[in-house]
Amino acid sequence: MSDLRLDATQLERYSRHVIMDEVGPEGQQRLLEGSVLVVGAGGLGSPAIQYLAAAGVGRVGIVDDDVVERSNLQRQIVHADGDVGTPKVESAASYVRALNPDIDVETYETRLTSETIAGIAGDYDIVLDASDNFATRYLLNDYCALTGTALSHGAIYRFEGQITTFTNGSLAAEDESNRERPCYRCLFPEAPEPGTVPDCATTGVLGVLPGTVGCVQATEVVKYLLGTGDLLKGRLLMYDAMDMSFETIEIRRNPDCPVCGDSSAIDSVGEVSYDGTCQLSQAE
């Protein structure tokens, strides 16, 4: 870490962090020097982007290829009515710049592919998956698992959400047992058949639900960058808004997993076709 150099404005802005023993000026400097790539500026990405920027994570990348629609505004709170028709990455970046001038925002108005992901995600400390489709989720998992990049995963459906963190051996303090942590494919080896899981445009989603899930993801990212607390590695946090209940289940690494198992079937995402069920077969 470089020499501490919080100025008077930063000391005031982050004062509630600085006075905490678990953060302090050193931890705040670590956040300011940290970077996160948020994939998706929608329901999950909105609260995550807001709180990561407010916390002082110094470089925030935002990936999304969509534009703001009025139907988004019930849950995608980084956008406003005046942003309708604007690319989501532009709307989200404008919000961040207005909230915290310390933050360097980088925007990518595109959909990630196996050809582009390395050039976008390769320079970030951690990736936050706020995507809404299985192809992107599996692409992010495979890339992060193969490159040893930490990944915060979140997903929502109607009244329910799930969150976990895959460190992928990226923590300096991880011992051999911690490197045995699973990846997303250990939990879900392949995506469901197309059309079998309806999206929120078909089934709806409780507007406040992604706020809870996205905030938990942001919390995991902040803890990861600070190097403090117990991350959700090897654990899946399940949230049911109707019952207002949380349940944590253990995720075990699958030794036969084709990505993180004992004998990996692929060396790069370029060998995989991310369509249909995202099976790990050789790309045509």
Side-chain angles (χ1 to χ4, degrees):
M1 183 187 299
S2 59
D3 293 337
L4 296 179
R5 56 180 186 277
L6 298 180
D7 59 32
T9 300
Q10 291 173 326
L11 287 171
E12 181 179 6
R13 177 185 293 275
Y14 307 117
S15 61
R16 301 309 191 268
H17 273 173
V18 172
I19 63 176
M20 299 176 70
D21 291 339
E22 297 84 354
V23 183
E26 296 86 359
Q28 187 59 55
Q29 186 70 43
R30 192 175 293 115
L31 291 178
L32 287 165
E33 294 177 352
S35 61
V36 56
L37 180 69
V38 180
V39 181
L44 294 174
S46 288
I49 290 166
Q50 290 176 325
Y51 274 101
L52 291 169
V57 176
R59 188 161 66 95
V60 177
I62 306 173
V63 181
D64 203 301
D65 67 342
D66 206 355
V67 299
V68 179
E69 299 178 3
R70 190 158 281 111
S71 62
N72 300 150
L73 304 180
Q74 160 253 21
R75 63 200 178 281
Q76 300 182 17
I77 56 174
V78 79
H79 313 297
D81 196 73
D83 297 318
V84 172
T86 302
K88 289 183 179 179
V89 292
E90 292 184 12
S91 174
S94 295
Y95 181 96
V96 171
R97 292 181 181 118
L99 174 67
N100 190 348
D102 286 343
I103 309 306
D104 179 14
V105 189
E106 299 178 358
T107 59
Y108 308 89
E109 190 181 349
T110 185
R111 181 176 289 267
L112 288 179
T113 67
S114 57
E115 290 79 21
T116 63
I117 188 169
I120 294 175
D123 195 30
Y124 288 89
D125 295 324
I126 183 170
V127 175
L128 188 149
D129 176 12
S131 63
D132 62 359
N133 64 88
F134 287 106
T136 302
R137 289 172 189 163
Y138 282 90
L139 174 62
L140 287 174
N141 172 77
D142 297 350
Y143 173 81
C144 290
L146 290 169
T147 60
T149 304
L151 174 66
S152 167
H153 163 74
I156 55 173
Y157 179 74
R158 288 174 53 81
F159 297 95
E160 301 172 354
Q162 64 181 38
I163 313 100
T164 189
T165 300
F166 304 109
T167 55
N168 295 317
S170 61
L171 295 176
E174 285 188 327
D175 56 25
E176 289 302 320
S177 64
N178 284 332
R179 292 193 178 94
E180 293 294 302
R181 299 296 181 182
C183 76
Y184 186 72
R185 284 192 186 270
C186 296
L187 185 61
F188 304 112
E190 60 185 52
E193 292 290 339
T196 59
V197 178
D199 58 23
C200 68
T202 303
T203 64
V205 60
L206 187 67
V208 297
L209 173 68
T212 303
V213 175
C215 282
V216 174
Q217 287 185 268
T219 304
E220 288 285 277
V221 170
V222 169
K223 287 161 52 185
Y224 177 85
L225 294 174
L226 287 173
T228 191
D230 190 8
L231 297 170
L232 283 170
K233 54 184 180 180
R235 297 181 293 152
L236 182 69
L237 179 64
M238 308 290 292
Y239 170 53
D240 188 328
M242 287 294 278
D243 295 338
M244 194 48 67
S245 63
F246 291 86
E247 180 183 3
T248 303
I249 62 174
E250 183 180 2
I251 312 171
R252 294 185 179 274
R253 174 178 172 270
N254 177 9
D256 297 321
C257 175
V259 175
C260 73
D262 296 336
S263 299
S264 175
I266 62 168
D267 294 319
S268 75
V269 294
E271 301 175 35
V272 184
S273 178
Y274 291 95
D275 56 11
T277 58
C278 301
Q279 293 178 337
L280 280 176
S281 56
Q282 293 289 326
E284 295 294 335

